[in-house]
Amino acid sequence: MAQPVPLWEAGKQQKTIDAATASANGYMVLDLGDEWTPYLFTDGADSEGGPAPSSYRKTYLALAREEWPDDHHGKRAQKDKYLELYGIMPTLSILRKRFRATTKLKCIHDLDPQPLRDFTGFVAYRRSNEYARRQVQGYFRLHKTVKDIMRRQRVQSSDEIRIAALDSRNRTRVERYKVQALKYRAVLAAQKRLECEGYLRDGERYVRGGLDWPTHKAMAEFERRHRIYGWGFIGKASLRVLRMTPLEAEREGVLRVLTERAVHAAGVIEDGSIGLLEDDKPHKFRGADGKEYEIQNLERQLRQAIVEAFGLDTPEATLAWLEDLGKTEKGRQRLVAFKAPALPEYYDGNMELTLIYDRGDVWYEFPYTVDGKPKSQPVELRPRVTVYTKYRSQMIPLARYGTTIGGWRSEYIDDAVWWKYKESPVGARIWKRIVAAPVWFPPDSTPPRELLKRREDRKADEPELEVNYHEMGPSYASAYGLVAAYHLQFLKSEDGTYEPSADEGIRTHGSADYMSIMRRHSHGCHRLHNHIAVRLMSFVLAHRPHRRVGQHEMLWERELVHEEQVYPMVLRESGYTFELEQPLFVEVLEGRVRGEIEEPLTVPVPKFDKAVGAYLMPDGGAVELRGTELVSVPRPLHGDAGLDYYTLPAAGADAALGAEPAGG
């Protein structure tokens, strides 16, 4: 055999097969080793056969192994601790280590998940620890009242209370108590789980039965550990995992990582996210035989195939399988094979792919009133991007993801921070470049404070702030996340080929700000969750001919001036570029424009000064945005200062136009 690998079936290694012919025989080869990364972060050769190593690969692997490099990457990752939500998948060795530690916790056998299964509401951290304490005190007051009612009616539980025998006030109290009891017991059960597993630290004081700040922090860490998109609250997403036993949650983590690796190995993207048609029927395509076939959820099928092949039906079996793997050697693959689901017939080495972005509800109007208060701009349709392939004249939807579009964002103009509308341009564009571990070069219009962060472990003689190199990248927490595709305008040549032309600064890219996707605006870019962006770009490269351009060393410098302090910023490398041989077409739809203004505003608006009570120009003049124009208004007199009225200078806001668009 050219490359012998063990074949797993029904939980056992049945025989050895040749990896070179595995795919032709219906098998998939999967790398279980600690050296695995998505294709985007692999080393390779450029078009001339020379080496094209990825500089971020070493960092990705270190973070996946939780080795925490002694640099800004390691410091940030050690604080975030669990990095799946940020697109860094833990190794199987790390998962085994976590699994072992959980099994040794005696307290897991004393946990009762029933209160969490009974609770279907939502509990958030609000205001302060004192607020949580008052909520719990209110519950106990109701509890005392209900106990008195039970005693008078001689019943054993609140469910047995004869509601009809109560006056309206006590009826309301009993109803409120039943709701509050479910909430209190659910929070208490969650806290016991968090304390048992070490998220609530030994000796840490917290409000029992109330979602206070320590519980909120612990819940946020629990969510990161289990790739839950949440705010550190107790609700639908977190309850799904809290209702599992700790060992079931560990098994789920192993299956999640194995499935992610399998999705990359198979080069598939169908995950069930396209949903159903309006008549609740599944999407279908017509095959070469003239028959209709449903779009499959290949992610789910791969997961099931993994469970069956490796025998991962229970937490105990999953841990035993991890233990049998033994220690994986650094620098080496650990290849195994298993029976994989058949790919649909539209799969090819050069698939005709396209992405269509629906911008959803779009508001061009300025989102603040004349007195600086937020305006109501409700959004019912959130922005989404759908991945299609064209097969036998059919546009077949494969996956759909939540994303972002532009809106009113801060921009640095004439040494001041303004509001400016950042557009996500409508129409057809092309992808020619996909950049792994991208580097964002912030334009001069980016406010310097946005590129700085508070210094950790600060010494007495050091400034309070430092350059936030995570923002520029390469970093999982950069403005572009782990990968970016560049949206470019294009021209059609006489020979029928399409060549890129203008770059408007728009990208589809990852984001570490995972709770902002579909909820907040960008500077015009279409942001995705990091692991989704990595999956999407890997899928494109798996099915579109491309070449590695690789990485370039460079020197890019800028001085950031903030509060009279100068912060030198130096970037020494670009991202790792893959270039598509043929461009991939994408299209951004207009969406549903709401409000009275139907076109993006080009005029920037100064920030509202709360102390003065007006939108102030850099020279102190007060202005208002009326329709699509800034007009000067009298500046309010403030206190006893006896300030004069100012008017807008002759140049007006037009002097502030022409600034470069910010990335991200």
Side-chain angles (χ1 to χ4, degrees), residues 119-136 180 183-184 186-187 190-191 207 209-217 219-220 223 230-236 238-239 242 515:
F119 181 68
T120 57
F122 181 80
V123 190
Y125 170 75
R126 300 183 188 278
R127 302 191 185 105
S128 66
N129 292 346
E130 184 57 33
Y131 178 83
R133 191 173 291 108
R134 288 198 303 269
Q135 292 289 299
V136 172
Q180 292 299 317
K183 174 180 170 182
Y184 172 80
V187 174
Q191 288 173 327
V207 178
L211 210 161
D212 58 358
W213 181 252
T215 306
H216 167 60
K217 286 195 304 178
M219 273 302 306
E223 288 172 342
W231 300 98
F233 303 154
I234 297 175
K236 184 177 179 180
S238 55
L239 282 170
L242 284 168
M515 291 306 291

Side-chain angles (χ1 to χ4, degrees), residues 162-182:
R162 296 184 297 279
I163 300 295
L166 303 176
D167 58 27
S168 60
R169 186 178 184 185
N170 279 330
R171 285 179 191 174
T172 301
R173 286 172 170 172
V174 171
E175 290 169 359
R176 284 176 54 205
Y177 168 76
K178 289 182 177 181
V179 173
Q180 292 299 317
L182 288 173

Side-chain angles (χ1 to χ4, degrees), residues 76 116 227 249 252 268 290 297 343 394 476 509 566 568 577:
R76 165 74 192 247
L116 294 156
R227 204 171 84 181
E252 183 65 24
V268 299
N297 184 336
L343 295 183
Q394 304 166 87
Y476 66 83
H509 62 77
V566 178
T577 301

Side-chain angles (χ1 to χ4, degrees), residues 602-622:
T602 57
V603 59
V605 180
K607 294 280 184 171
F608 187 81
D609 190 310
K610 291 183 179 179
V612 177
Y615 294 92
L616 297 185
M617 298 291 287
D619 70 346

